[in-house]
Amino acid sequence: MICKSFDVISSRLKVILLALSAILFGLAHADTLPISDAHLHYSHDSVEMTPPARVIEIMREANLKMALVSSSDDKGTQLLLDLAPDLIVPGLRPYTRRGELGTWYQDQANLDYVEDLLSNHQYATIGEFHLYGETADLEIPKRIVELAAEHNLILHAHSDADAVESLLAQDSNVKVLWAHAGFDEPEFVSAMLSKHDRLWVDLAFRGEVGSGGQLSDEWLALFKAHPSRIMLGTDTYTPERMYYIPAHAEGARVWLDTLPEDLAEKIAWKNAYDLIMPVWKQNSAMLESSATSVACNETDASALAIDDQSTAILQPDREIEVGEAFSVKLTVCGQDMDSAEVALDATMPVHGHGMNYTPEQTVIDQNPDVVTVQFDGLRLHMPGKWQWQVTVRRDGERVQVSEEFQLN
Ligand SMILES: [Zn+2]
């Protein structure tokens, strides 16, 4: 059935890669400041009220670039992560149900629950948890800090300053994201950030920041003193607040617009991205090396047909931007994949040239049913019409398929 040296130009194919459609969707928002939302929950009651696909839609509407989600009972977080791995960064909330925030730090069951989740999933943060004053030095919180250090996790603490300082003192490497900037005054927050270089703050549920579209002198002074330590968050602690994510992003953009552009970008998305994404990349890479993340026996609407028996799935690790390095994971499902060689290239058909860079390539998984290769250091140097080219060589046969996409 398969001819030797068989080139299929797949622009005829109606199937568009899920990942590419996410990128194209992103382009529709090209003029809207992206937001990293570092304080989201999708707990059991939210899951009942709003399906995960709708939640992702809401987040895309808000032009979120990254969403740090932690949920009581964790299932909501995993549902979102499965649907949008390019967007969702999972946090481990140590609560199984709503209403454990005043008891969890004395309940062995919560610690067991945390350890169980850590043995089955990867996360970037542990939290958001609630701890005040001396409770941070109880046995269970101490163990949480140890686990954070062991598993490369940032602590996301809804705490007063005393508890934050106890957490930081327990381990000399652990980082703390201080939820709601402690509900403290900007001047005090500024002093805390000056005192502790492993401390960051989110502004979730701080409606007074930029209310009426204007920043007070006190908040402005904090932002200028610590331009790289402050990030945004909606705090969807009740189910109906999921629908508030776009309005929150839009409201933040109004006062962000009064700031110098580089400071606005930092607070809008870069600070959260720079703090949390490297941690998540490192932790999730451990997950990928132990399991194939694409299940070949499931029909995947984003899959690109190579031939009757094989399909390819391309997963960029982020929204592709001109001149910026990114990675793509290419998974090819089919038969005799243990002897297959796969290659990925991006070309500009109109200009007759490709990338100026040769990506580094690492085989993550290879067996008779699947081969997964990670391509790092990809970079598209100009906007325009691009084309992915996937080449599979197997049993002396070479099959190439391509898929066009627009980069603006
Ligand atoms: Zn909170």
Side-chain angles (χ1 to χ4, degrees):
M1 183 67 208
I2 307 161
C3 307
K4 286 185 182 177
S5 190
F6 176 47
D7 285 339
V8 179
I9 302 302
S10 71
S11 52
R12 295 179 313 229
L13 292 177
K14 296 282 179 255
V15 179
I16 294 174
L17 302 179
L18 180 67
L20 290 176
S21 66
I23 291 159
L24 293 174
F25 191 90
L27 293 174
H29 288 281
D31 53 344
T32 312
L33 184 63
I35 300 285
S36 293
D37 197 317
H39 196 131
L40 292 165
H41 309 295
Y42 182 48
S43 294
H44 51 90
D45 43 3
S46 284
V47 175
E48 275 169 32
M49 181 165 154
T50 311
R54 178 71 191 117
V55 173
I56 297 297
E57 250 174 43
I58 292 168
M59 290 175 175
R60 304 264 192 222
E61 268 166 41
N63 197 24
L64 296 193
K65 192 175 179 73
M66 187 193 90
L68 176 63
V69 182
S70 64
S71 314
S72 298
D73 97 352
D74 198 61
K75 290 194 186 79
T77 300
Q78 301 302 331
L79 286 169
L80 296 182
L81 180 61
D82 282 349
L83 279 182
D86 62 313
L87 175 66
I88 303 297
V89 175
L92 196 177
R93 194 164 224 223
Y95 311 154
T96 61
R97 304 288 300 168
R98 177 174 293 287
E100 290 175 1
L101 54 92
T103 57
W104 74 277
Y105 51 83
Q106 303 189 78
D107 193 338
Q108 179 62 33
N110 287 76
L111 184 58
D112 294 344
Y113 169 73
V114 166
E115 298 202 358
D116 187 50
L117 286 178
L118 284 173
S119 61
N120 288 302
H121 303 283
Q122 297 288 341
Y123 301 90
T125 60
I126 187 158
E128 178 206 22
F129 54 71
H130 298 71
L131 273 182
Y132 304 95
E134 293 171 354
T135 60
D137 286 318
L138 293 173
E139 281 313 306
I140 288 175
K142 274 177 155 170
R143 180 68 190 135
I144 292 290
V145 175
E146 279 175 18
L147 288 169
E150 280 169 32
H151 292 264
N152 186 34
L153 302 168
I154 298 161
L155 296 168
H156 195 182
H158 180 138
S159 295
D160 56 7
D162 288 346
V164 164
E165 294 194 319
S166 298
L167 294 169
L168 287 166
Q170 285 173 33
D171 184 283
S172 59
N173 290 312
V174 81
K175 292 172 180 169
V176 173
L177 173 56
W178 195 10
H180 317 287
F183 288 113
D184 271 305
E185 294 300 318
E187 205 180 338
F188 181 75
V189 173
S190 190
M192 280 290 281
L193 288 170
S194 297
K195 193 172 165 191
H196 300 287
D197 60 2
R198 291 178 282 124
L199 183 63
W200 285 257
V201 301
D202 79 48
L203 299 177
F205 216 70
R206 298 299 300 263
E208 74 271 33
V209 180
S211 73
Q214 280 300 316
L215 284 168
S216 70
D217 292 346
E218 289 77 14
W219 285 104
L220 198 54
L222 168 65
F223 293 169
K224 289 191 168 164
H226 299 285
S228 303
R229 313 274 288 280
I230 295 151
M231 56 196 74
L232 303 176
T234 301
D235 194 359
T236 50
Y237 63 91
T238 56
E240 60 278 9
R241 283 182 66 85
M242 298 311 297
Y243 295 89
Y244 181 62
I245 295 169
H248 173 268
E250 210 39 59
R253 285 184 188 108
V254 175
W255 58 261
L256 285 165
D257 201 38
T258 67
L259 295 174
E261 197 179 331
D262 59 335
L263 182 58
E265 282 184 345
K266 277 168 166 278
I267 293 171
W269 68 271
K270 280 186 177 160
N271 290 343
Y273 204 86
D274 290 350
L275 171 69
I276 298 164
M277 207 43 116
V279 172
W280 172 233
K281 274 193 83 169
Q282 217 179 328
N283 295 351
S284 58
M286 285 174 61
L287 183 73
E288 277 162 15
S289 62
S290 63
T292 307
S293 55
V294 173
C296 287
N297 50 1
E298 284 172 22
T299 38
D300 187 328
S302 72
L304 186 62
I306 291 177
D307 55 42
D308 284 355
Q309 284 112 29
S310 324
T311 53
I313 296 163
L314 282 168
Q315 296 171 290
D317 69 333
R318 72 195 70 183
E319 193 180 305
I320 300 169
E321 286 173 40
V322 174
E324 287 186 21
F326 62 100
S327 301
V328 169
K329 199 167 66 182
L330 168 63
T331 301
V332 182
C333 301
Q335 292 168 356
D336 302 328
M337 284 299 154
D338 42 349
S339 63
E341 276 177 46
V342 301
L344 177 68
D345 198 7
T347 62
M348 294 193 91
V350 177
H351 297 258
H353 60 70
M355 290 182 292
N356 289 341
Y357 299 82
T358 310
E360 230 176 82
Q361 122 174 37
T362 316
V363 177
I364 296 174
D365 192 22
Q366 186 155 26
N367 63 54
D369 303 321
V370 65
V371 57
T372 303
V373 180
Q374 166 113 4
F375 296 87
D376 291 310
L378 292 149
R379 207 186 290 256
L380 309 182
H381 53 278
M382 60 184 286
K385 197 169 274 183
W386 285 82
Q387 198 175 59
W388 287 121
Q389 290 189 330
V390 175
T391 309
V392 180
R393 286 190 184 81
R394 181 177 41 162
D395 303 331
E397 287 170 356
R398 176 180 172 277
V399 184
Q400 188 173 69
V401 295
S402 51
E403 181 67 59
E404 281 190 355
F405 63 100
Q406 180 71 28
L407 181 65
N408 287 345

